[in-house]
Amino acid sequence: MRIAVLGMGYLGVTHAACMASIGHEVMGVDVDVDKISQLRAGHVPFFEPGLDALTARMVQSGDLRFTASYEEAARFADAFFIAVGTPQKRGEFAADVSAIDSVIETLGPMLDRPAVLFGKSTVPVGTAERLRSRLKELAPAGPDVELAWNPEFLREGHAIHDTLEPDRLVVGTAQQGAPGAITVAREIYSSVLASGTPFIVTDLATSELVKIAANAFLATKISFINAIAEVCEAAGADVVELADALGHDRRIGRAFLNAGLGFGGGCLPKDIRAFMARAGELGADQALTFLREVDAINMRRRTQMVDITRQLCGTLLGVRVGVLGAAFKPDSDDVRDSPALNVAGQLQLQGAAVSVYDPKAMDNSRKIFPTLSYASSAMAACAGADIVLVLTEWEEFRELNPRELAAVVSHRRVLDGRNCLDHQRWIDAGWQYRGFGRRPSSAAM
Ligand code: UGA
């Protein structure tokens, strides 16, 4: 099929490259001309494992092209995917859907033949129905232009896998009048469906809600285990062993029960807030008040990390801190609402001398936190440090040799913000090890 993907963020580029890789002719569209020229050269302007190579390969094959022209995309495609961002509004919990609105306002009047638009972005429930009505007014082809919702569930760091081998595909359509969208979706995803992927057809509102409810559930799971970690700390229990034991219960599962610095990124934090805001608008605000607590538990992890650092060092004034990790999670260079950078920033504001290293997120970190010091390696970040903080669980940090690191620091103190280190190895190498919610004997200071 001929597909246009609107919005070349990490979701859009991944979707475009993956759709090309399963046999479609794809055009990636973005209003940012710099981004388009980078992509045309086969270069992805952010880090996502495997995506650079896949994009370059698809560009070379001619199956993937990029343009800044909506006219060109409208002439080219029969199916469109909307993949623009829906960030948190400034000073409010609600999502800012202006980028989606402007896609519809720009593209709508150009649609003069049958087409299907699939929304992929995470939106407040009711957005799709509103866009559908607007599209009817704008598109010269009128009812021959359908709008469906096909929410995205991909994780950064696993984006290609999650697109080509998703746990499920969900397509929401209007209750009346979207006969073609499901057929088109089946055709587009035929190779994905052939491998047995569940295909869920529902209405627009349910499809919008599936996505945001999934993220709210994941956020709740993380905050649940972090709340339990606080109790473990108080009771002298071990949250990692507890999570392993819980995870054997198939109703619970072990995934997303890693206690530590909590969730960040461009999705979970803003999505739970937007969900609360939308429920409030709908008069169902009581239903989601628990998400306030989920948010509060999560944000508390960041201040607690700063407090523990102060407690371990006696003060923060003039203390040298080596911070390992800046991305919101490993295998990503994304620093949007990164817990790691938040902690690094708080420590510096409270008088510590902070040196940060991340394998991929240095450039992005410098842009949003130019006043922090950045080092060129983990060793360099920890040189002379009074304490080392591991704040993003990159493989490189898990594999650090505590004996080699001991040679460069001033004090052998490590705060494992992601409970990701082999603590016995660090203790054996003479380090004071501190995890989150870990048993004091193994986390002895
Ligand atoms: C999340 C969802 O997992 C995706 O399904 C969804 O499609 C995506 O948001 C989105 O809405 O676009 P992502 O933000 O890439 O994906 O990252 P996650 O893997 O969900 O991690 C989010 C945060 O939770 C990270 O900061 C991570 O460190 C933290 N986390 C995760 C924990 O603190 N503990 C865990 O056990 C798991």
Side-chain angles (χ1 to χ4, degrees), residues 10-11 122 152-158 162 168 211 214-215 218-219 221-222 225-226 254-271 298 302 327-330 332 334 336-339 391-393 418:
Y10 94 95
L11 162 61
T122 306
E152 186 55 68
F153 300 98
L154 62 82
R155 297 160 296 168
E156 292 186 33
H158 304 270
D162 290 354
R168 74 300 213 185
K211 168 58 194 277
N215 276 3
L218 295 171
K221 216 173 165 189
I222 298 168
I225 201 66
N226 280 330
R254 179 63 178 82
F256 274 70
L257 285 183
N258 294 322
L261 187 47
F263 60 83
C267 303
L268 263 45
K270 65 109 177 153
D271 284 352
N298 190 54
R302 304 176 184 189
F328 85 105
K329 66 185 237 182
S332 168
D334 196 341
R336 285 176 294 170
D337 200 355
S338 165
L391 301 184
T392 311
E393 67 275 38
R418 293 288 180 184

Side-chain angles (χ1 to χ4, degrees), residues 104-158:
I104 298 295
E105 295 299 321
T106 312
L107 185 67
M110 299 171 185
L111 299 173
D112 52 12
R113 58 196 170 82
V116 181
L117 272 73
F118 294 97
K120 290 204 86 62
S121 315
T122 306
V123 289
V125 59
T127 304
E129 188 52 53
R130 181 173 62 76
L131 298 178
R132 199 177 77 90
S133 311
R134 184 71 186 129
L135 208 50
K136 262 199 206 154
E137 293 165 6
L138 291 171
D144 287 340
V145 174
E146 293 179 20
L147 183 107
W149 218 257
N150 171 218
E152 186 55 68
F153 300 98
L154 62 82
R155 297 160 296 168
E156 292 186 33
H158 304 270

